[in-house]
Amino acid sequence: MFSKVFTAAVIVGAAFTAVTGTAGAATAPRAACGAVGPTMARCLTSYATAVAPDGWGATDLAAAYRLPAEPGPGDLVAISIAYDSPTLEQDLNTYRAQYGLPLCTSDTGCFHKVNQRGDAAPLPGQSFGWNLESTLDVSMVSAACPSCRILVVEGDSPLFPDLAATEDTAVRLGAKIVTNSYGGRENGYSLSYASSYQHPGVTTVVSSGDDGFTAASYPAVLPDAVAVGGTTLSRDSSDRAFAESAWLSGGSGCSAYVAKPAWQRDPHCRNRTVADVSAVAEQLSIYFTDAGGWATANGTSASAPFVAGLIARAGHAGTTTAATVYAGAGHFFDVTDGSNDQVSGGAKCGGDYLCVATAGYDSPTGVGTPDGLAGL
């Protein structure tokens, strides 16, 4: 069985390293996926083409988040995604070679791609935006955990039942951590597929969304999901040598449907609050053939797979939950600057922690960003 070949871990997302200080992006950022209806999810990334590797890379991320020198266990991270990206393995290894990471190929058993039924063929059709998303996901997982194996489960479409099937298949194939870089506004229809994201002994990591402070995003809003928000990363003169602020577009919200979990105690949202934790979501370098080569990507589509990779690297795939993240809040960098309220002056939430970063928990950045692996 496939689960005997790959160790426990599932991811939907990506990890990668980028070189800073090179030539800038050649185009303005644009959304990879357009608006969708209530029965399907949207991929959560924007991108700009670049003439060379540019933006935050794996070496930068390792320094910014104080990652250990040891690569950690070679666990499996599974990525739930829609559609097939024919150049995914090639693009991933162009990225890894650029940044000195070991290659991850199907020949060595490190990389595997299946359809939503778990079969190697036939694979689904293609979509430029979702293909870019899957490239970002595998790159970010790689940056967070260069030793991890990667399983990509490709849904026939972005419809919620197809994406739910990719989750179930990933778990059936032995994944203990699954990352999901997509979302849609929570509603009764999407929530009817919640059980696919709530497998006992499996860590589910989900992007919080890219629309700022708004209605909560599904499946990030599910009570067992680790909902990952976004930050803007910069260099400074501190001992850490980096600073972070809430990313303007990072998703946060208060659920209209999901009850408040016992481990979440923020006062101004009666129900489940998103997000739980965060990481950089802006100016990340990837290699994507369909965009002409190097590009920079933005989105909580980057931060979620990165956090999933860190959880696997810590050896905690299947045991880390949102509750354990809150319990380990002292092991995260507290983000206290920035806002994701896209209305000037904080008019949508009145300057509240639901849309403004503050000391301690806040909705855009959760308990903060990883300081090494201890909190994960």
Side-chain angles (χ1 to χ4, degrees):
M1 289 180 64
F2 178 73
S3 59
K4 293 181 179 179
V5 179
F6 284 79
T7 56
V10 179
I11 188 170
V12 178
F16 46 73
T17 300
V19 172
T20 58
T22 57
T27 61
R30 54 200 167 196
C33 295
V36 297
T39 62
M40 64 178 63
R42 178 173 65 90
C43 80
L44 298 171
T45 188
S46 62
Y47 75 101
T49 59
V51 297
D54 184 68
W56 300 112
T59 304
D60 300 312
L61 300 180
Y65 295 108
R66 296 179 176 174
L67 302 187
E70 301 77 17
D75 278 355
L76 174 69
V77 175
I79 296 169
S80 160
I81 200 73
Y83 299 123
D84 176 50
S85 177
T87 63
L88 184 59
E89 183 177 352
Q90 170 192 331
D91 291 347
L92 168 63
N93 285 296
T94 298
Y95 170 86
R96 291 175 71 116
Q98 175 68 29
Y99 301 114
L101 304 178
L103 298 185
C104 183
T105 69
S106 53
D107 288 342
T108 64
C110 175
F111 177 87
H112 199 67
K113 185 170 67 169
V114 297
N115 63 25
Q116 68 184 52
R117 289 159 288 278
D119 300 324
L123 295 173
Q126 301 172 38
S127 160
F128 177 92
W130 284 90
N131 293 1
L132 187 144
E133 175 63 69
S134 60
T135 303
L136 174 60
D137 287 354
V138 296
S139 300
M140 288 302 291
V141 170
S142 299
C145 186
S147 63
C148 282
R149 302 171 193 181
I150 298 174
L151 166 64
V152 181
V153 186
E154 299 179 333
D156 292 343
S157 79
L159 289 168
F160 287 122
D162 286 339
L163 291 171
T166 68
E167 295 284 318
D168 293 331
T169 293
V171 174
R172 177 170 57 84
L173 295 179
K176 297 298 181 186
I177 183 167
V178 182
T179 182
N180 308 264
S181 291
Y182 52 77
R185 183 166 178 159
E186 64 170 348
N187 57 44
Y189 177 76
S190 62
L191 287 165
S192 69
Y193 294 96
S195 62
S196 293
Y197 299 85
Q198 297 173 310
H199 294 277
V202 175
T203 301
T204 302
V205 182
V206 187
S207 301
S208 70
D210 290 2
D211 294 319
F213 173 68
T214 186
S217 179
Y218 169 90
V221 74
L222 295 176
D224 296 328
V226 178
V228 185
T231 65
T232 296
L233 184 68
S234 60
R235 294 188 183 275
D236 70 3
S237 59
S238 67
D239 290 342
R240 182 188 174 193
F242 294 88
E244 288 179 276
S245 59
W247 181 45
L248 177 62
S249 297
S252 71
C254 178
S255 178
Y257 296 85
V258 180
K260 182 70 111 188
W263 38 262
Q264 195 174 55
R265 297 181 177 88
D266 62 295
H268 297 166
C269 174
R270 242 180 235 190
N271 290 336
R272 169 77 157 107
T273 312
V274 172
D276 302 317
V277 66
S278 55
V280 60
E282 194 172 26
Q283 291 295 301
L284 294 146
S285 180
I286 62 171
Y287 187 90
F288 181 50
T289 295
D290 286 357
W294 292 102
T296 56
N298 308 316
T300 54
S301 281
S303 53
F306 182 70
V307 167
L310 294 183
I311 293 170
R313 186 169 180 170
H316 295 155
T319 59
T320 292
T321 63
T324 62
V325 167
Y326 283 75
H331 296 291
F332 293 85
F333 294 116
D334 191 8
V335 180
T336 59
D337 295 318
S339 169
N340 68 349
D341 189 344
Q342 298 189 29
V343 176
S344 177
K348 289 172 72 175
C349 81
D352 192 79
Y353 75 91
L354 291 173
C355 70
V356 177
T358 187
Y361 177 83
D362 58 74
S363 191
T365 68
V367 299
T369 62
D371 181 359
L373 304 178
L376 300 169

